[in-house]
Amino acid sequence: MEPPLLPHGEGPSPRPTDWNIPNALTVLRFLLVPVYAVLLFHDGGADPWWRFWAWVVFAIAAVTDGIDGRLARRNGQITTFGKVADPIADKALTGTAFIGLSVLGLIWWWVTIVILVREIGITLLRFLVIRHGVLPAGRGGKLKTMLQTFALGGLTLPLWVFPFPEVWTWVAHGILGAALVVTVVSGVDYVFQALTLRENSERTRVRRAARAAGRSDGLP
């Protein structure tokens, strides 16, 4: 028997192609990461013009991070590639900035290590619980990203050529301190969210029901 014809315009929506603007912006962010690193380290990071252009590249990459997700959701262009590549591109950009600025002596290494361990750990945690559901980005995670972006952008700039450089440096490090606190607190919150998601997921409920049925069958 032939399947019934659906009225025009009905039926399952076509799968969005990976060739779209949001994914192109994600790829662009990947490509900008080594460009940022080269500009940041030119002349040992001591040339103000190269540092300024490093900031421009970082700012462009950070802006694409906000645009690609909005475009994907608005235009129905959310793809598997985007889900995987977008957070990796974000971590590549911020990770390169943290490591680069630590090499230049602008960020303490222990701060970079704590933040990178948190970022990598939460990314792995998302993959571990993906069978139970998606671990959504919370307000803490978004605030963390914003604070990190402002702190890294500020410290990338050649602040020593600005008026009152000490003030701007203190402001940038103050934002970085706030970013560190929010990063750690939101990381702990994500761990609790992951545990709750795992305990309350449909997959876990099915397993519990199967174990309960198995124990019942074994009763005399």
Side-chain angles (χ1 to χ4, degrees):
M1 175 182 291
E2 295 182 358
L5 296 177
L6 294 173
H8 180 69
E10 296 186 8
S13 301
R15 178 182 176 274
T17 176
D18 288 335
W19 297 95
N20 55 51
I21 293 178
N23 286 349
L25 292 174
T26 299
V27 172
L28 174 63
R29 192 155 65 257
F30 271 116
L31 298 176
L32 290 176
V33 170
V35 177
Y36 167 78
V38 169
L39 295 173
L40 180 67
F41 285 117
H42 183 79
D43 196 22
D47 190 304
W49 277 110
W50 286 84
R51 287 282 293 273
F52 172 75
W53 286 113
W55 175 84
V56 170
V57 171
F58 181 84
I60 293 173
V63 168
T64 65
D65 180 26
I67 294 176
D68 58 3
R70 292 190 182 94
L71 286 177
R73 290 187 293 270
R74 187 182 68 185
N75 300 331
Q77 294 176 322
I78 299 176
T79 63
T80 301
F81 173 83
K83 291 179 181 178
V84 174
D86 183 68
I88 296 176
D90 300 342
K91 303 302 181 290
L93 177 64
T94 57
T96 299
F98 272 112
I99 294 173
L101 293 171
S102 291
V103 170
L104 295 178
L106 298 172
I107 295 178
W108 287 323
W109 273 108
W110 72 266
V111 173
T112 293
I113 292 172
V114 168
I115 290 179
L116 292 185
V117 167
R118 182 272 188 199
E119 298 289 5
I120 295 172
I122 296 302
T123 299
L124 293 176
L125 184 63
R126 288 180 184 276
F127 284 110
L128 288 175
V129 301
I130 194 66
R131 294 174 299 173
H132 300 277
V134 177
L135 194 61
R139 293 182 179 179
K142 295 177 181 178
L143 177 61
K144 175 266 303 180
T145 300
M146 182 185 71
L147 291 172
Q148 286 185 9
T149 300
F150 278 108
L152 294 171
L155 292 172
T156 296
L157 283 169
L159 296 178
W160 68 89
V161 302
F162 283 47
F164 311 108
E166 295 84 1
V167 174
W168 290 113
T169 301
W170 275 103
V171 169
H173 278 100
I175 297 174
L176 178 63
L180 176 64
V181 172
V182 176
T183 298
V184 173
V185 172
S186 63
V188 173
D189 181 58
Y190 274 125
V191 171
F192 282 106
Q193 286 187 46
L195 293 174
T196 301
L197 177 65
R198 184 178 182 277
E199 288 298 314
N200 299 328
S201 70
E202 181 65 25
R203 183 186 181 92
T204 301
R205 286 196 292 268
V206 170
R207 284 185 174 181
R208 287 173 178 166
R211 287 197 297 266
R215 287 194 297 267
S216 299
D217 293 340
L219 292 176

